[in-house]
Amino acid sequence: MATGPIHMWARVGGGSAERAEGRSAGAARAGKRARRSGAQPGLGLRWGELVGLHRRDIDLDHGAVRVRRAVAELFNGQREIKAPKSAAGKRTVSIPAAIIPDIRDHLERYAEAGADGRVFLGAKGATPRRNHFNRLWRKACSDAGIKGLHFHDLRHTGNTLAASTGASTRELMARMGHSTARAALIYQHASAERDRLIADALSALVDKGRKTQKKQDPKRKGHAGDTTD
């Protein structure tokens, strides 16, 4: 979930211990947890949906996240808690089993206490702001040797991966929180294009193998080249 992947189950800011060690160290640890967990690609939530999560929205026993609200940042700097972008945005997203231990670890170590506690906190205990998180994100990416990766790209990655599993358009719409098929079809098209590239690569390997075999045994014919009938 913010990971996310990282898809990143990472604390956006840091607790008192992290602040004592410095923001740079906190960002480096955030990047490490982000690379390890893969939560954001696994869930494909929007930024506002992620920072709007509370503990009660996450059911690790049944492997699900309930998206019920989103935090919007207004032009005047104020923030507004509201329902997701559309009715389809209010949804339940299944959590890949592989990242549940990382989410559990994050909840135990970094999330606000109590059933209504926020899952993600900034350095001063407030809901994270996008511009501050982006600075930490760029630092974490730089430490990991990654260039040009935006946090929202993880949502695109998660949706593309979901499409590659063979999910239907309706299933992708439900998981992504879209009310129209347009975005889902884009991801399905990207998945189909990738599958074609994979098929072409496999074909090239077959052709290469055949050429190598002919060079090694130019007289061989059929499955039993040494038979007489």
Side-chain angles (χ1 to χ4, degrees), residues 120-184:
F120 297 102
L121 296 174
K124 297 181 180 180
T127 298
R129 287 188 179 276
R130 188 192 294 264
N131 62 346
H132 178 239
F133 175 80
N134 282 340
R135 289 198 295 270
L136 296 179
W137 174 256
R138 287 192 293 270
K139 176 65 167 61
C141 287
S142 177
D143 291 345
I146 299 172
K147 296 182 179 179
L149 179 66
H150 300 92
F151 184 73
H152 194 73
D153 293 338
L154 301 185
R155 172 171 161 82
H156 295 316
T157 299
N159 293 336
T160 301
L161 291 174
S164 71
T165 66
S168 69
T169 302
R170 181 60 62 180
E171 289 168 337
L172 288 175
M173 289 171 61
R175 188 170 182 85
M176 295 187 301
H178 282 290
S179 57
T180 65
R182 180 176 179 274

Side-chain angles (χ1 to χ4, degrees), residues 1 9 55 57-66 95 99-105 107-108:
M1 275 178 180
W9 262 102
R55 281 181 177 269
D57 298 320
I58 300 175
D59 183 352
L60 296 183
D61 292 333
H62 295 90
V65 172
R66 290 177 288 274
I95 306 171
I99 64 175
I100 286 180
D102 299 291
I103 296 176
R104 192 184 305 277
D105 178 67
L107 291 174
E108 292 175 353

Side-chain angles (χ1 to χ4, degrees), residues 31-218:
K32 182 177 180 180
R33 291 194 297 273
R35 294 190 296 273
R36 183 187 66 203
S37 69
Q40 167 62 357
L43 295 173
L45 302 188
R46 302 176 178 91
W47 164 263
E49 295 170 344
L50 285 167
V51 297
L53 289 176
H54 291 233
R55 281 181 177 269
R56 56 185 162 83
D57 298 320
I58 300 175
D59 183 352
L60 296 183
D61 292 333
H62 295 90
V65 172
R66 290 177 288 274
V67 181
R68 295 294 180 266
R69 73 195 67 78
V71 177
E73 296 184 19
L74 308 179
F75 290 112
N76 61 7
Q78 294 183 342
R79 283 176 290 189
E80 180 180 77
I81 300 176
K82 59 181 185 178
K85 294 175 65 175
S86 65
K90 189 174 289 187
R91 64 201 187 279
T92 298
V93 180
S94 295
I95 306 171
I99 64 175
I100 286 180
D102 299 291
I103 296 176
R104 192 184 305 277
D105 178 67
H106 175 90
L107 291 174
E108 292 175 353
R109 299 174 61 187
Y110 303 108
E112 191 174 28
D116 201 43
R118 289 164 295 171
V119 173
F120 297 102
L121 296 174
K124 297 181 180 180
T127 298
R129 287 188 179 276
R130 188 192 294 264
N131 62 346
H132 178 239
F133 175 80
N134 282 340
R135 289 198 295 270
L136 296 179
W137 174 256
R138 287 192 293 270
K139 176 65 167 61
C141 287
S142 177
D143 291 345
I146 299 172
K147 296 182 179 179
L149 179 66
H150 300 92
F151 184 73
H152 194 73
D153 293 338
L154 301 185
R155 172 171 161 82
H156 295 316
T157 299
N159 293 336
T160 301
L161 291 174
S164 71
T165 66
S168 69
T169 302
R170 181 60 62 180
E171 289 168 337
L172 288 175
M173 289 171 61
R175 188 170 182 85
M176 295 187 301
H178 282 290
S179 57
T180 65
R182 180 176 179 274
L185 290 172
I186 290 173
Y187 290 116
Q188 286 180 317
H189 180 67
S191 177
E193 286 185 339
R194 180 59 186 163
D195 190 57
R196 170 45 53 193
L197 290 174
I198 292 172
D200 290 345
L202 290 172
S203 180
L205 289 175
V206 171
D207 288 340
K208 183 178 179 180
R210 287 174 174 171
K211 290 178 180 178
T212 301
Q213 185 179 34
K214 287 181 178 180
K215 289 180 180 179
Q216 294 175 345
D217 190 2

